[in-house]
Amino acid sequence: MKYALSCLLLAVTIQLCAQTISKDNVKQLQKAEANIKEYGKAMITENEWIDRFRADSFFTRGFVQALKITNSFYYPFDSLQTISKLYAPDSTFRIFTWQVVRDFEYNRQRGAIQMRTDDGSLKLIPLFDYSDFTKAPNDSLRDNQHWIGAIYYKILLNTFNNKKIYTLLGYDDNNARSNKKWIEILTFNTEGKPQFGGKYFQYQVDSIKPAQPAYRFNLEYKKEAKARLNYDEDTQMIIFDHLTSESNEIQNKYTLIPDGTYEAFRWSNGKWQHISKLDNQILGNGNAPLEKPLYDDNGNINQKILDEQSQKNKEKEQLPAKSSKKKP
């Protein structure tokens, strides 16, 4: 009930504030959105990776120009369905994330945080995916220049000691053998700069979970598996699949699959406290996470079309597998 009420208040706030956008600015935003819409699609559907990257470049530049229009914060950009667009529960910012794929061994997440401003001017914080350049993504606080990339599909808000703590749930295609689901922490320092990560997870380390201290939490699992990780509104818990190795090689993350039981995190005393096994395996109504990274939390993208195009890209490129992600 509390979560539903906060969502309703957010929707009303955004609707009321949207009325402050002048008609001229709305027309400008609509035109700018129309101009970059096809680039957004081309980031996914083009057959050659170089064309996908070129479309991403044109899309990014055009999107930034659109965001510079006064009060763009309240404009939904509904037709840009190949990127995730999430407002914070308190409407103080929104976060955009998407990805561009070279092949099944390399993908790069893009992102930006748009802060709400009193005068409607643009305050945009770009996020730079640093995943390829670290072997220990879980072990430190990170700024926007060293972000661990993910496509976010949920934002939660908690407070502790009068500090706002945002929890982001995200997805990463990772590589040809495995996917990742992320629980990321986002806070803002006294200067208003974002900080990713923090010591907000309490759990017993095992052969699957990240070593402690963990500043963010992730599950890595077999590419073809469908591991769930999402927030359940009824129980107010982040519920996720318990994983096991299908070949008794638990050190190889690409062999991990769900075993039919569930674990969870519940927010308590300023931390996400681990629950090792749920008595009632409830995921809530429609709260299973979306497996494709370009979906937002409302699922406003056509999975069938993207799956078909993804297969076409795979058949055309047929690039040799590599041991790790690298720059093109």
Side-chain angles (χ1 to χ4, degrees):
M1 179 66 69
K2 181 179 179 181
Y3 183 84
L5 180 60
S6 64
C7 288
L8 177 61
L9 290 174
L10 172 61
V12 172
T13 299
I14 292 173
Q15 184 176 9
L16 291 174
C17 291
Q19 296 174 6
T20 66
I21 308 179
S22 70
K23 292 182 179 180
D24 287 341
N25 285 342
V26 169
K27 290 180 180 179
Q28 291 181 54
L29 285 161
Q30 290 173 336
K31 182 179 180 180
E33 181 180 19
N35 288 339
I36 61 175
K37 180 180 177 180
E38 293 306 313
Y39 291 127
K41 290 181 180 179
M43 294 189 302
I44 308 304
T45 59
E46 286 293 334
N47 293 329
E48 302 296 330
W49 72 262
I50 193 168
D51 294 325
R52 295 195 293 273
F53 274 74
R54 184 179 294 112
D56 170 70
S57 179
F58 284 121
F59 174 83
T60 301
R61 281 183 279 178
F63 193 31
V64 171
Q65 291 302 311
L67 292 174
K68 289 180 179 179
I69 297 170
T70 302
N71 283 324
S72 69
F73 181 83
Y74 305 107
Y75 187 78
F77 293 99
D78 284 337
S79 74
L80 303 183
Q81 295 188 332
T82 54
I83 69 172
S84 170
K85 310 170 288 289
L86 297 178
Y87 281 96
D90 58 0
S91 192
T92 55
F93 69 90
R94 64 174 167 177
I95 187 166
F96 306 103
T97 49
W98 67 94
Q99 74 174 6
V100 59
V101 176
R102 186 189 68 185
D103 54 56
F104 283 84
E105 278 293 335
Y106 173 88
N107 65 81
R108 178 59 58 84
Q109 275 80 38
R110 314 292 198 199
I113 298 173
Q114 182 183 18
M115 306 301 297
R116 188 184 67 200
T117 59
D118 292 336
D119 63 358
S121 62
L122 177 63
K123 182 178 180 181
L124 191 67
I125 304 170
L127 305 178
F128 299 96
D129 188 357
Y130 203 73
S131 304
D132 291 350
F133 309 106
T134 179
K135 294 182 179 179
N138 299 84
D139 71 349
S140 59
L141 285 171
R142 293 177 175 272
D143 59 20
N144 63 301
Q145 300 283 337
H146 301 85
W147 173 58
I148 300 301
I151 309 299
Y152 297 126
Y153 52 83
K154 181 76 75 176
I155 303 181
L156 309 172
L157 171 59
N158 293 287
T159 58
F160 186 70
N161 290 336
N162 295 319
K163 182 177 183 178
K164 292 183 177 181
I165 301 161
Y166 303 92
T167 301
L168 310 175
L169 307 185
Y171 176 90
D172 177 14
D173 266 322
N174 197 39
N175 59 36
R177 291 180 132 185
S178 69
N179 296 327
K180 290 182 178 181
K181 292 282 176 67
W182 286 97
I183 306 177
E184 178 66 274
I185 299 297
L186 172 61
T187 56
F188 292 88
N189 64 19
T190 55
E191 298 176 347
K193 296 181 179 180
Q195 291 184 320
F196 291 94
K199 296 181 180 179
Y200 294 99
F201 299 96
Q202 188 70 44
Y203 60 85
Q204 292 290 328
V205 175
D206 56 28
S207 53
I208 293 177
K209 296 179 180 63
Q212 289 279 25
Y215 287 75
R216 58 194 53 80
F217 182 87
N218 77 285
L219 295 177
E220 184 175 355
Y221 55 93
K222 184 178 179 179
K223 196 75 176 177
E224 294 78 15
K226 293 186 179 297
R228 297 177 173 90
L229 187 153
N230 212 343
Y231 183 72
D232 181 76
E233 297 176 14
D234 295 331
T235 60
Q236 297 186 6
M237 294 188 293
I238 299 175
I239 298 176
F240 57 96
D241 277 297
H242 178 75
L243 302 178
T244 187
S245 175
E246 63 181 353
S247 56
N248 200 29
E249 300 173 276
I250 206 161
Q251 73 279 6
N252 294 326
K253 303 297 186 183
Y254 57 82
T255 71
L256 299 181
I257 59 174
D259 70 355
T261 63
Y262 299 96
E263 304 175 53
F265 284 111
R266 176 184 282 126
W267 183 261
S268 178
N269 296 322
K271 290 184 182 291
W272 286 108
Q273 306 281 352
H274 181 238
I275 300 171
S276 59
K277 188 173 182 178
L278 295 184
D279 293 332
N280 298 314
Q281 298 170 9
I282 300 173
L283 288 178
N285 297 321
N287 285 324
L290 300 165
E291 293 297 326
K292 291 296 175 183
L294 296 174
Y295 283 109
D296 65 16
D297 194 43
N298 295 318
N300 57 0
I301 203 171
N302 192 319
Q303 180 173 351
K304 181 179 179 181
I305 292 176
L306 291 186
D307 287 347
E308 290 174 351
Q309 190 58 51
S310 179
Q311 182 61 33
K312 290 179 181 179
N313 292 340
K314 183 178 180 181
E315 292 171 356
K316 281 182 172 291
E317 293 182 12
Q318 292 295 313
L319 295 179
K322 298 179 182 179
S323 59
S324 63
K325 296 192 236 179
K326 294 182 180 180
K327 287 186 175 182

